[in-house]
Every structure is written in C-alpha cells, then in structure tokens.
Amino acid sequence: MSPSRNDPCPCGSGRRYKHCCGALQASAASPQTLQTLQTPQTPETPQAPDIGALAALINQDRLVEAEKLARELLQSFPRSGGLWKIISVALARQGKDASQALRTATELLPDDAEAHRNLGAVLLDQGHLEEALAMLRRVLEIEPDDVQVLMGAANALCALGRPRESVALYRRAAQINPRSPEAHNNLGNALQALGECAEAVGCYRLALAIEPDDAETLSNLSNALRQLGQLHEAATCSERAIALEPQLSVAHNNLGLALAALGRDAAAVASFRQAVKLNPRFVEALNNLGNALREQGEHGEALSLYRAAVELMPQRADIRYNLGNALYELGRVAESVASFRTALTLQPHYAPAHLGLATALRLQGRVAEAEASCRAALATDPNSAAALCLLGDLCADRGEFGQAQELFQRALAIDADFPALFCSIAAHRKMTRADAPWLQGAEALLAKRLPLAHEIGLRYALGKYYDDVRQYDEAFSQYRQANELSKRHTAKYERGKLTAQVDQVIDKVGSAFVRESHPGASASELPVFIIGMPRSGTSLSEQILASHPEVFGAGEPRFWDGAFEAFMSTRPEREATASAFSGMARDYLERLTAGAGAARRVVDKMPANFLYAGLIHAVFPRAKILHMQRHPFDTCLSIYFQNFSALHPYAADFDDLVHYYSEYVRVTNHWRAVLPATTLLEIPYEALIEDQEYWSRRMLEFIGLPWDPQCLDFHQTQRVIITASRWQVRQRINAASVARWRNYEKYVAPLRQLLDLVASQQRPSAAGSPPAHPTSP
C-alpha cells in the first residue's frame, strides 16, 4: 500500500517517494486470467463456468461469497495457482492477510509475474522489505520493463538504506517512460540521499516540467536546494507546495529547515510545529522541532519531542544522540550517558555519539572512559576537528597544556571554522597581542550566522582575550553580550525557588538538629568538604590539599542535593532517620572513594554543598568543612565571565547573582551560628593568596594531617581537574586575581549591596581564623 499523504519517506529523510509498487493487482480475475484458466481441463484447473462465477462475484464486490466458492474449488483443485491468485484478491479486498495465498500462488506459478508482483506488494505493505525485494526482482526477470515494479524495487532498496543500488533501477524506469514524473522524482530522492544534490535538482525539475503543480516534488526540490545553499528558492518551493497542498506535512517540515538555515528561527519552529500537528507520527519533524527548540534553550520541550521520536523509531541512532544531548544540557548526565550508549549499540561507528558520550563521561570524572570514547570517534573519523578538540580538552584536564595546544592546532588546520576550538585555545593559556590571528578568526566566525550556543562560547572566549590583553571595556562588552545571549539559551533563574529552599534548610536543619547525636551517622573522618560560591577558590584549595600524599581530590561529585531531597521526604521517626543516615553514609563513601586508593582524606569540593553543610555534619559529624570566602565583587564577576549559565542560571545576570549570593550568605550565616566551632574552617581567598604556606598548614592541621612541603608546589601535582579553574590552579600563586574587580569598577554598581551582606560574616571559625573583610570601593 502506498504511504499516506502525510507520511515521510521510508528512510525518514523528509523526501517523498511516489507511487511505490504496492497496490495488490486484481487482475487474477481479468479476461486474460480467465482465458488462461479455461485451457483444456486438467486435474489442476477448475472448469470455466466456476471460474466465471468467481470473476463475477469479485467484480460485484461479493467478496465473502467469492472466498467461500474459491475455497470449495480448492478442495478439488488444491494446486491451481490461478485459484490461489483469485482467493488472494478476495482476501485482500476484505482487508484480510493475503500473503499465504500469494506465497502458494508464486510456488505453483513460478513464472507468473503478476503473482510475484502481488506478493511483493503485500510484503512491502507488511514491511518485509528484503523478501519483497526478492519478489520484485523475480518479476523483473520475467518482465524487465515493468516501470512500476522497477520503481517499487528501487523504493524498497531506499527503504533498506541502499540508495546507490536503487539509482540504476530508477534510471531504467525513467528511460522506459521519460514522461513519468514519479520516476524522475524518486531518482532525485535517491541522488539526494547520496549527497548528489545538484543532479537531484535536475531530476526534480524534469518531474515538475511534466507535472508542474505536484506539491511533493516541489517539497523534495526545496530539500535539495537547501542543501546546495540556495535557501531563498528552497523556502519559495516549500511555500508553493504548501499553497498547493496545505495538509502536506513534509512540505511544512522542509520549509522549517529552509527557514532555520536563513536564521528565521521563530518561523522555523512554527513550520515544524505545523508539520507535527498534521502528522504527530512524523519522526523527522519531531526531531527537527526538538533541535530548533534546543537551539532556543527550550531543553525540556525538546526532550519530550526526542522521546516521542524515539518511541516511534527506536532504531534511529541520531535521535538517541539528540536525546542524549538534551539530557546532558538539563544536567541529567547519567541518563545522557545511557542514551549515547544506546545510540552506539544501534550504530557502533557513529562518531557524534562517541563524542557525546566522551563529553558526559568527562563531566562524571570518568576520564579514561571519556578518552577511549573520544579516540573511538577519531578511529571512525580521523579528520574530526570536534574529536581532536575534545581530546585536547582532556589533555588540559591532566595539565598537559602543550599537548592540548598541539591538538587544537591540528584541529584548526582541518576546520578553521569550528567555534569550540577558539574557545578551548583561549581557555587553556594566557592570550597576548601576538594572538591576532586567533582574534581575526574568532571575529570572522562571529560575522557569520552561528548556532546560538557557538556564538555564546565565542563571546566568552573573546571576553577572556580582551581581559588577558587588558582591554577591559572591550572585554566587558563581550562578556555582557555572551550573558545576554545565554539568557535566551538556558533556563530562567527562579529566585523564589532558591529562597524557599534556603527557608526549608534553615527550618529543617536548625541548631537542635545539628547538635543532636543521630543514630546511623558515620564516624568516618575520610571526607573533607570544601564549600563556598563558585569561583571563590575551591579548586585552588582542593589542589593544595590533593598535593599531599595522603589526600585524594575527588572533584565535584553530585550527591548531597539528592540526599537532601530524600532526607526531606523521610518520616520524622528516629528509626527512619537512622536508616536514612546510615544509607546516605554508605552510598556517599562508596561513591567518594572510587579511585581514592589508601588516602586518609578525600576532598569533595562541590561548592553548592554550602546548602547542605548541616545535613553533611549530621551524617558525618567528624568530617571537616572548609569554607572559601572571596570578595563578592571578584566572585560575582568571575562567575559572570564564565560560560556557566547552563548549570548556574543565575550566572548571566547581575541582579540574579546578587540574589543567589544573598541566599548563600543567609544560609552560611546560619551554619556559622549552629555548627560546632571545630567543624568549620573559614578561609579568606585573599589571605590564602598572600600567605600560601600559612593557610596551607592551617588547612592540613584542621583536617588532621601533618605538613608536607609538596603542598607548596601544588601547581606541579599531576591529577585530573575538569573545573573552569584547571589552567589557573596549575600556575604558581600570584595576586592577579585579587581585587580584579577594580578593572571593571564602572560596571559593578549592581553588586555594591553585597558589601553590607558579607560584613555580617564576622564570627571567627574554629581555628581562630579572622573573618573576611572585603575592601570597599
């Protein structure tokens, strides 16, 4: 049966294949068939009057009676191929499965083209493409010039992902019948699938010369023109197709693709939505709409669209890959890993899925697996600039910055228009005015139309360049543009949600709770927690501690946000709390110690754990917590200068930063009031920079370890660091990051209210450390 008018083509590409050889032929009761059956009586053939009666019943649509009579005749003539052909027609016209009758007919009539053609049509309709193709090839051995069978066989090959084999059959059909628009259209589709779009356009134009108002061919022409970069004509062709046939979902989908390429994003989304509305099972439109919405930062809706597409076509590796990207961008990293792995199960050599998996594994700290996946992508595509770039980032994570820059340059030689390369180059070294070629390349890319995420990344990279070369006004301009664009690309920061969470934390984890002895708590001193605002020096303090031979730096494991949610849902009974705490301690230590070896202390430097310090202390009352404090202007500017908004939606706006910082101050003031004095050490970032040895000794003493001079040479410690500070913490300590805000003093007015807030942080910590006193402007 031919596809419905709103079905995509068999391979899901958005091209439409026309007039597949799918309609079951009724000529089993034609005059020619009757004449064949009225040959001299044999044991295998019924009498002519019986055949005439069957023909009359079928022609009168008295199909039940025809089936009954045919079955009665089969009792006497079970090897009559003609009877089996007739009964197959009666069955098919009733909507019943005719395949077994047709199989018998082809066995009894091995040289009957019509029987094989009919069976091929039924098998195509059932999706048994390989078997259908065999039947149609048999027809062509008998009748090599049957145009419809040539096209049906070619269509089956395309549906099987073998368009190159189909081309010869389509060409033969077009030669036999040069006035067949279907043959030209379908040949164009096969050529387009092979990337031969210019020749495909010629085929579509031949089809339109014969049938100028065919909406499907116009839509196909639009697709090919778009791939040739002829975007305006492509959009015009799709618009004309829609005017001719407004319900043609493929035309709306192809218009969306052309509009997206033209930068008309809102109009593209509207076209994709219309395609999906007309055909909710149109997988390609679901996927394209998901891509368009992801580009606009609508990751949640994109995720639901990808899930719908996967449900309809679970074997599509590319959609599993897109689903993985959406999950990753929503911070659901473990789920993204599973989706990328499924894509690779379906298509083991799919390089983008290898890269997506590597990116997610890297964020999980599984660096060896990440590098293996990255190298698998390179094995498939040795000239992949994206894979070389990611491999360079992985080298930088290990502190191998020279090797990283070599890989970036190799990638740049392959693809000088790959935006991520410019970002990685700038992130892993100090830029100088000698980097003018880099600057020219980045600006040239920005002059083109780029996906929003790439433009955002380049703006941040340009901001860093101008900051490094001390052109601060230009730097701030680039950072501001990057952040304004980020607001369009990421989820909106919900101030009320964080305020409510801090209210809940303070209410649930108060003084009495913190000071109580909790059954189920762990006596382990293994974990050390470093908390604070992002960019407050947490990576630096971890690197110093991890340079001690008895300390392992675990990075930023995600655990306590989920643990707090589980704790809030726990029944208040003491037994339930004890069970919950023992489970938390067990699960956390199991995760924390992976790769830690025989270390006596393992550092968790997830900054956002400042929300959960009270719960952490309840579960691990002997664990130590280090609180990094940095001048609020430097902290907030440093956050604003990082491409953080995907994970930290507050990062792109000064007012949101002030709100987030205020809630951070509120909750840390609470911990300062309720935690035991021996639990919390507060470390002023500026003081650590000024006297590294003194504060390094204080930290080690606080966590119960002896001094080791290796901590002074922390920048030489070989370990993996995946935070934004991975380059800075491998440099010797210097004061360049202290009072950096003064370079941007004219821009920090919205942050001034934070000075009064931090002045409230005055209680000395357990070890007698002085409070942080931010310098007023």
Side-chain angles (χ1 to χ4, degrees), residues 377-615:
L378 278 171
T380 298
D381 182 5
N383 291 319
S384 169
L388 287 168
C389 182
L390 181 55
L391 190 59
D393 288 333
L394 289 164
C395 287
D397 293 345
R398 297 193 296 268
E400 299 167 356
F401 298 114
Q403 186 174 348
Q405 292 294 335
E406 289 178 10
L407 287 163
F408 298 149
Q409 292 303 320
R410 277 178 56 193
L412 205 60
I414 293 169
D415 185 358
D417 290 339
F418 186 50
L421 277 169
F422 289 83
C423 302
S424 290
I425 289 169
H428 298 120
R429 65 180 174 85
K430 189 174 182 65
M431 304 295 283
T432 70
R433 294 185 186 278
D435 289 308
W438 178 95
L439 177 62
Q440 292 167 3
E443 289 177 336
L445 278 175
L446 283 174
K448 304 176 182 180
R449 183 183 178 274
L450 294 172
L452 185 57
H454 288 315
E455 182 178 355
I456 290 169
L458 277 174
R459 296 273 179 206
Y460 280 113
L462 278 167
K464 181 179 183 299
Y465 168 83
Y466 284 119
D467 181 81
D468 284 349
V469 300
R470 301 185 179 185
Q471 292 180 240
Y472 300 118
D473 289 337
E474 291 88 343
F476 195 83
S477 173
Q478 292 295 337
Y479 284 134
R480 179 158 47 198
Q481 290 180 73
N483 281 288
E484 290 304 309
L485 291 171
S486 293
K487 293 177 187 178
R488 290 166 41 194
H489 191 250
T490 55
K492 182 177 175 59
Y493 173 58
E494 300 177 54
R495 298 184 189 181
K497 185 175 179 181
L498 179 63
T499 297
Q501 184 179 7
V502 171
D503 288 342
Q504 185 183 46
V505 167
I506 292 174
D507 177 65
K508 183 80 171 181
V509 191
S511 177
F513 177 87
V514 169
R515 293 173 183 171
E516 180 183 352
S517 177
H518 295 280
S522 170
S524 174
E525 296 181 274
L526 182 72
V528 173
F529 297 90
I530 301 177
I531 63 172
M533 283 289 290
R535 308 297 292 171
S536 63
T538 56
S539 292
L540 173 60
S541 55
E542 182 200 29
Q543 180 74 353
I544 290 171
L545 292 176
S547 300
H548 192 287
E550 295 183 276
V551 177
F552 177 76
E556 299 182 353
R558 296 192 68 92
F559 180 86
W560 291 100
D561 46 0
F564 184 79
E565 287 183 17
F567 167 65
M568 292 303 296
S569 64
T570 301
R571 299 187 306 279
E573 290 85 349
R574 190 173 177 84
E575 296 77 10
T577 302
S579 175
F581 278 17
S582 62
M584 282 184 206
R586 180 189 63 250
D587 294 345
Y588 178 69
L589 289 174
E590 182 179 336
R591 182 177 305 185
L592 189 70
T593 55
R600 289 177 59 194
R601 300 288 185 270
V602 180
V603 178
D604 176 341
K605 62 138 304 221
M606 172 61 77
N609 283 340
F610 70 75
L611 283 164
Y612 315 116
L615 177 62

Side-chain angles (χ1 to χ4, degrees), residues 95-338:
K96 298 179 180 179
D97 183 6
S99 56
Q100 189 53 53
L102 282 166
R103 288 184 194 280
T104 305
T106 58
E107 291 169 5
L108 294 170
L109 302 169
D111 296 322
D112 188 303
E114 189 173 78
H116 287 81
R117 182 187 300 113
N118 287 349
L119 179 55
V122 168
L123 292 169
L124 281 175
D125 192 47
Q126 294 175 345
H128 301 308
L129 299 176
E130 290 284 7
E131 196 175 357
L133 182 60
M135 287 297 110
L136 297 175
R137 288 194 188 280
R138 176 59 184 144
V139 176
L140 292 174
E141 291 174 1
I142 302 166
E143 296 179 1
D145 292 339
D146 187 319
V147 171
Q148 292 302 315
V149 174
L150 283 165
M151 289 175 54
N155 288 355
L157 286 166
C158 284
L160 287 165
R162 295 153 61 183
R164 190 166 300 281
E165 296 175 60
S166 75
V167 168
L169 298 178
Y170 285 134
R171 289 197 194 280
R172 176 66 178 153
Q175 289 169 356
I176 295 169
N177 184 5
R179 296 293 300 169
S180 167
E182 296 86 359
H184 294 297
N185 174 81
N186 290 8
L187 175 57
N189 288 345
L191 291 166
Q192 190 181 157
L194 294 168
E196 299 172 17
C197 293
E199 191 176 353
V201 165
C203 293
Y204 296 136
R205 295 199 191 281
L206 283 174
L208 289 167
I210 301 164
E211 196 172 328
D213 292 335
D214 186 86
E216 294 180 8
T217 304
L218 281 164
S219 180
N220 292 337
L221 175 59
S222 169
N223 219 359
L225 289 168
R226 174 183 58 80
Q227 294 181 71
L228 290 171
Q230 300 175 37
L231 303 178
H232 291 285
E233 188 180 356
T236 299
C237 284
S238 285
E239 287 165 349
R240 187 176 164 210
I242 290 167
L244 289 165
E245 194 169 336
Q247 303 303 306
L248 186 61
S249 65
V250 177
H252 290 279
N253 177 70
N254 289 350
L255 176 59
L257 291 169
L259 292 170
L262 285 165
R264 296 169 58 186
D265 297 332
V269 166
S271 290
F272 293 137
R273 287 196 189 281
Q274 184 63 16
V276 171
K277 180 180 178 181
L278 290 168
N279 183 5
R281 298 180 63 81
F282 188 174
V283 170
E284 203 67 23
L286 288 165
N287 188 49
N288 289 337
L289 178 56
N291 291 341
L293 290 172
R294 252 185 69 219
E295 173 64 23
Q296 295 184 5
E298 300 290 340
H299 303 293
E301 187 179 356
L303 181 65
S304 66
L305 289 160
Y306 293 139
R307 288 200 188 282
V310 163
E311 186 174 342
L312 290 167
M313 198 172 286
Q315 73 276 20
R316 283 279 295 274
D318 61 326
I319 301 175
R320 298 275 188 177
Y321 164 71
N322 289 339
L323 175 62
N325 282 331
L327 289 164
Y328 179 86
E329 288 157 0
L330 285 166
R332 295 161 64 173
V333 180
E335 293 175 76
S336 77
V337 167

Side-chain angles (χ1 to χ4, degrees), residues 70-106:
R71 291 196 183 282
E72 290 174 356
L73 288 169
L74 281 172
Q75 297 297 318
S76 301
F77 306 101
R79 295 189 57 76
S80 171
L83 275 178
W84 283 106
K85 284 175 63 178
I86 291 173
I87 199 170
S88 70
V89 174
L91 289 168
R93 288 192 179 181
Q94 294 177 76
K96 298 179 180 179
D97 183 6
S99 56
Q100 189 53 53
L102 282 166
R103 288 184 194 280
T104 305
T106 58

